[in-house]
Amino acid sequence: MGEVGSSIGRSVSPRPLRAQAPSRARERRADLLLAVGEIRHELEKNGALMLMALPGVILLLLFAYLPMPGIILAFKDYNFSKGLLGSDWVGLQNFMFLFGSGAAWRLIRNTLVLNSLFIVTTLIVSLALALLLHEIYDHFVTRIYQSILFFPHFISFVIVGYFTFGFLNADNGFLNSILAARGLPTIDWYATPAYWPAILTSVNLWRSAGYFTIIYLAGILGILPEYYEAARIDGANRWQEAWYITLAMIRPLIIINVLLAIGRIFFANFDLVFNVTRDNGLLFTTTDVIDTYVYRSLRTLGNYNLATAAGAFQATVGFLLVLLSNALVRRIDQDQALF
Amino acid sequence: MELVSGGAPRHRRAPLTPGRVLIHLVMIAASVACVVPLLLILAASITDEDVLANDGYRLIPRVVSFAAYQFILVLDPDQIVHSYGVSAFVTFVGSSCGLLVMAMLGYAISRRDFRYRNMLAFYVFFTMLFNGGLVPFYIVVTQYLHLNDSIGALILPYLVIPFFVLLLRTYFAALPRELIEAAKIDGASEWRTFFQVVVPLSTPSLATVGLFCLLLYWNDLWLSLLFIDSKALFSLQYLLWHTINAIQTIEAASQTSGFRPPLQTVRMAMAVFAIGPVLFAFLFVQKYFIRGITLGGLKG
């Protein structure tokens, strides 16, 4: 830009007009072209990136955002022919039905109890397995154990339903044939609600422990060996090492995982519950969770109102919990938070 | 070996102390517990039907019989083959399209110089926090998008999974900016940069997410439960679920008539057919899954 001033100074020199004008005009044109080029470049970049994001944006719009206003259906008496907008407002009536009939409390209790059991047992077992795996020096063997533990995660819950049937079938299930062989009375598993929190927790453990073992083991392997060496010099034994170093160092990882799980505590694992209980009404007192109730009300009973009320309740409370838990996770380790 | 910790590796040869033996015993017990349920299914599928009904499910069949497999493969393979086809189609199309869509989305969000980056990030990740509930989703899909009882209902809803977009974004953001700038200096358009520079460098994370998508689609029952009514669109999981639940009525009827088709063993044999490809795939891909989880999935 300094050249403009110097070329103004030089404009009075006896140069032919055509030769001197281009330098100043050329500079300005060059600047203009650069600016236009930059704008075009920005447009191209932003446009292209926006275009790349567009399919995902549209899909989310259709399947995630379009249904969101539908939450107001919980306050309406849905009539198929009148549609979403035309149905009548009924205020809190659906919620009163839901809570008044006692159904809501049973659902909330079951969802919270089952998920809490899942979180606690999965944490304890996967931590224990990770600690044990850490003690094995042969990495090839560790890899094999990890793979086997992780394999259940690949099995669909429908198949899970098949082998739980094989175990629990009253007539010829594995458990009952063992009981019968010992002369003990057989149990009609699929008709006794009391056993089911334990059964569902065991199945969930079978399926999820391996996944979290991998996560915790990865965290443990990130601990510097110097800590262990220092501890050994100070005379610590294995147990003290495990408690004061291993567990202490992965404490943030544990807390984060637990918090994220608690954030989702109002959302049950539909596939697990539905397939293992086989939608058996006799077991609803201990196994009916919000998700199965909403599904059943919608698809089997056709009762949209109760389904929307339960769903809206779950979405709202769940939202607040996820926000809260994520805010807590952020305080611990910002990278691990969702946002 | 990615799972080895940084720093000095432990060279000491592990002494065979009782503690060490105990650890291995525990791990072996856990491993057995993981595998036994599937062995039960396999054993039941090759057991004679009457023996199964009388003696019950056992890990080692008393009387071996392949009648169930014969029944499926020879007498009535149509439904299961067809369902296999439906599942395979949905899985393949869904995973490949989903991976492409999510990768582009994740890439756009990962670019710090993208003007609408934060807006887009909020748009995508807010859906992880809040949804309208099942009923509005159902109404939108069936009445506004007219997808009920269609193959689109099995594919479209899972094409964008915000959690996977998050994984991809994290990975793309970790790529050095110089690479993209270098490509731009060389005159490449954004599209070329993405497909010819970024994608080849991101195969680990793309493979991980792709595998997760494959698993999601192959194992899904939920979408079929919600939207599918016609047999022609029964996925493998849905067929299996129907079989184990509908079988009650057939069993009750057969007891009165005295005729007993190989029912329970047929169910178990179908389950074996469903597990087969998963087991096969698992042997090849478990390494990538584990690597993907440890590297990128520590978020849990």
Side-chain angles (χ1 to χ4, degrees):
Chain A
M1 275 303 207
E3 287 92 58
V4 178
S6 57
S7 62
I8 291 175
R10 269 189 264 126
S11 64
V12 298
S13 76
R15 282 225 218 124
L17 212 59
R18 269 203 70 168
Q20 89 196 61
S23 62
R24 192 169 33 164
R26 203 189 310 138
E27 276 149 20
R28 268 194 256 139
R29 199 168 55 219
D31 288 335
L32 191 61
L33 276 177
L34 264 174
V36 168
E38 259 180 46
I39 296 177
R40 277 227 319 248
H41 188 71
E42 277 290 303
L43 278 178
E44 192 257 338
K45 175 185 71 181
N46 286 326
L49 287 174
M50 201 59 222
L51 219 62
M52 277 190 203
L54 195 62
V57 166
I58 294 178
L59 282 164
L60 279 178
L61 180 72
L62 291 177
F63 292 102
Y65 282 99
L66 215 55
M68 271 190 206
I71 204 167
I72 60 168
L73 269 182
F75 302 100
K76 288 190 169 205
D77 180 16
Y78 183 68
N79 187 316
F80 181 82
S81 47
K82 291 185 192 169
L84 175 74
L85 297 167
S87 299
D88 309 315
W89 291 97
V90 291
L92 292 174
Q93 194 182 68
N94 294 331
F95 291 97
M96 292 202 297
F97 270 136
L98 187 64
F99 284 88
S101 68
W105 303 115
R106 181 191 75 205
L107 298 175
I108 296 170
R109 182 198 69 211
N110 287 342
T111 310
L112 291 181
V113 164
L114 284 177
N115 274 341
S116 308
L117 283 173
F118 291 176
I119 293 173
V120 170
T121 53
T122 309
L123 177 70
I124 295 175
V125 170
S126 55
L127 263 184
L129 287 174
L131 286 171
L132 288 178
L133 279 177
H134 181 59
E135 292 296 321
I136 299 176
Y137 292 148
D138 189 338
H139 296 291
F140 179 68
V141 170
T142 307
R143 252 270 293 273
I144 293 196
Y145 282 136
Q146 266 195 327
S147 300
I148 298 178
L149 287 176
F150 186 50
F151 180 61
H153 199 73
F154 280 64
I155 305 296
S156 81
F157 278 111
V158 181
I159 307 288
V160 173
Y162 270 63
F163 69 70
T164 49
F165 179 80
F167 271 101
L168 302 171
N169 189 356
D171 296 325
N172 58 351
F174 188 65
L175 284 182
N176 275 357
S177 18
I178 292 183
L179 287 175
R182 310 240 166 136
L184 296 168
T186 60
I187 303 173
D188 194 355
W189 302 95
Y190 282 101
T192 324
Y195 295 112
W196 282 83
I199 295 176
L200 290 176
T201 306
S202 310
V203 175
N204 181 68
L205 198 62
W206 179 83
R207 204 157 182 283
S208 312
Y211 180 82
F212 287 101
T213 305
I214 295 176
I215 290 184
Y216 289 130
L217 185 61
I220 292 175
L221 288 173
I223 301 174
L224 299 172
E226 283 78 36
Y227 287 113
Y228 291 105
E229 280 157 25
R232 226 164 285 137
I233 292 172
D234 284 346
N237 64 28
R238 275 278 187 253
W239 298 99
Q240 287 167 322
E241 269 182 33
W243 182 259
Y244 287 108
I245 300 178
T246 314
L247 283 179
M249 292 298 286
I250 61 169
R251 205 174 60 141
L253 185 63
I254 297 175
I255 293 179
I256 286 165
N257 274 305
V258 173
L259 275 180
L260 288 175
I262 292 179
R264 308 259 334 149
I265 204 168
F266 256 83
F267 299 97
N269 190 339
F270 174 86
D271 285 282
L272 170 67
V273 178
F274 189 72
N275 279 295
V276 179
T277 63
R278 302 172 65 208
D279 203 23
N280 192 330
L282 293 168
L283 305 173
F284 282 167
T285 47
T286 55
T287 63
D288 200 18
V289 290
I290 300 177
D291 302 66
T292 49
Y293 179 81
V294 173
Y295 168 78
R296 200 170 60 243
S297 302
L298 174 68
R299 279 291 268 174
T300 314
L301 303 173
N303 188 336
Y304 279 62
N305 293 338
L306 287 176
T308 52
F313 176 75
Q314 183 187 48
T316 315
V317 177
F319 174 59
L320 293 170
L321 267 178
V322 169
L323 273 183
L324 181 66
S325 74
N326 203 75
L328 289 172
V329 168
R330 234 166 163 232
R331 310 267 309 274
I332 300 173
D333 183 351
Q334 228 184 17
D335 294 323
Q336 296 280 349
L338 286 176
F339 52 86
Chain B
M1 183 69 89
E2 314 77 27
L3 296 178
V4 178
S5 61
R10 301 196 192 181
H11 287 300
R12 306 192 327 243
R13 252 286 130 220
L16 206 64
T17 65
R20 200 149 297 283
V21 171
L22 189 63
I23 291 178
H24 277 280
L25 282 178
V26 170
M27 293 311 302
I28 290 175
S31 305
V32 166
C34 285
V35 175
V36 156
L38 304 165
L39 290 178
L40 194 69
I41 294 182
L42 182 66
S45 70
I46 54 175
T47 307
D48 179 75
E49 176 74 25
D50 293 316
V51 170
L52 186 68
N54 292 325
D55 285 350
Y57 287 78
R58 287 168 193 282
L59 281 172
I60 300 176
R62 280 259 232 98
V63 178
V64 175
S65 151
F66 290 92
Y69 290 97
Q70 262 184 322
F71 184 80
I72 294 176
L73 292 172
V74 176
L75 291 174
D76 185 21
D78 286 345
Q79 183 61 62
I80 196 169
V81 168
H82 190 82
S83 293
Y84 241 98
V86 171
S87 282
F89 177 79
V90 166
T91 302
F92 181 71
V93 172
S95 302
S96 46
C97 293
L99 189 60
L100 179 66
V101 170
M102 287 194 281
M104 292 199 295
L105 189 55
Y107 176 67
I109 300 179
S110 73
R111 287 281 298 274
R112 273 168 230 115
D113 52 336
F114 181 39
R115 174 188 279 191
Y116 307 111
R117 171 189 184 227
N118 288 323
M119 220 190 318
L120 197 57
F122 180 80
Y123 179 84
V124 172
F125 300 130
F126 181 70
T127 60
M128 285 175 90
L129 303 175
F130 185 71
N131 61 68
L134 177 61
V135 178
F137 173 72
Y138 181 78
I139 293 176
V140 164
V141 173
T142 54
Q143 278 157 41
Y144 290 94
L145 298 174
H146 302 291
L147 286 173
N148 55 310
D149 214 19
S150 77
I151 201 104
L154 294 177
I155 298 178
L156 295 173
Y158 289 165
L159 282 181
V160 179
I161 309 282
F163 180 68
F164 295 158
V165 178
L166 182 69
L167 285 181
L168 287 170
R169 185 213 53 184
T170 309
Y171 193 84
F172 286 137
L175 291 175
R177 284 169 84 174
E178 292 79 30
L179 281 164
I180 302 171
E181 280 164 17
K184 253 192 249 164
I185 291 172
D186 285 346
S189 71
E190 287 293 344
W191 294 94
R192 263 188 94 175
T193 314
F194 179 68
F195 283 106
Q196 292 184 352
V197 175
V198 177
V199 165
L201 286 171
S202 313
T203 37
S205 67
L206 288 175
T208 305
V209 171
L211 291 172
F212 274 123
C213 285
L214 284 172
L215 204 59
L216 175 67
Y217 275 107
W218 183 262
N219 284 344
D220 181 60
L221 178 70
W222 178 239
L223 292 178
S224 302
L225 276 177
L226 284 179
F227 302 119
I228 300 298
D229 294 314
S230 49
K231 276 202 156 181
L233 289 173
F234 271 27
S235 71
L236 189 61
Q237 307 293 339
Y238 197 44
L239 177 68
L240 286 171
W241 180 79
H242 248 278
T243 311
I244 200 171
N245 286 310
I247 216 81
Q248 310 281 53
T249 43
I250 306 176
E251 241 173 19
S254 77
Q255 241 139 46
T256 49
S257 74
F259 166 67
R260 255 233 210 89
L263 293 165
Q264 288 199 28
T265 53
V266 170
R267 272 189 257 170
M268 294 299 143
M270 285 172 70
V272 170
F273 277 119
I275 305 174
V278 175
L279 175 62
F280 190 68
F282 172 76
L283 293 173
F284 287 105
V285 306
Q286 46 89 16
K287 184 172 66 176
Y288 296 103
F289 258 107
I290 294 179
R291 195 188 297 170
I293 293 174
T294 54
L295 289 181
L298 283 169
K299 290 181 196 291

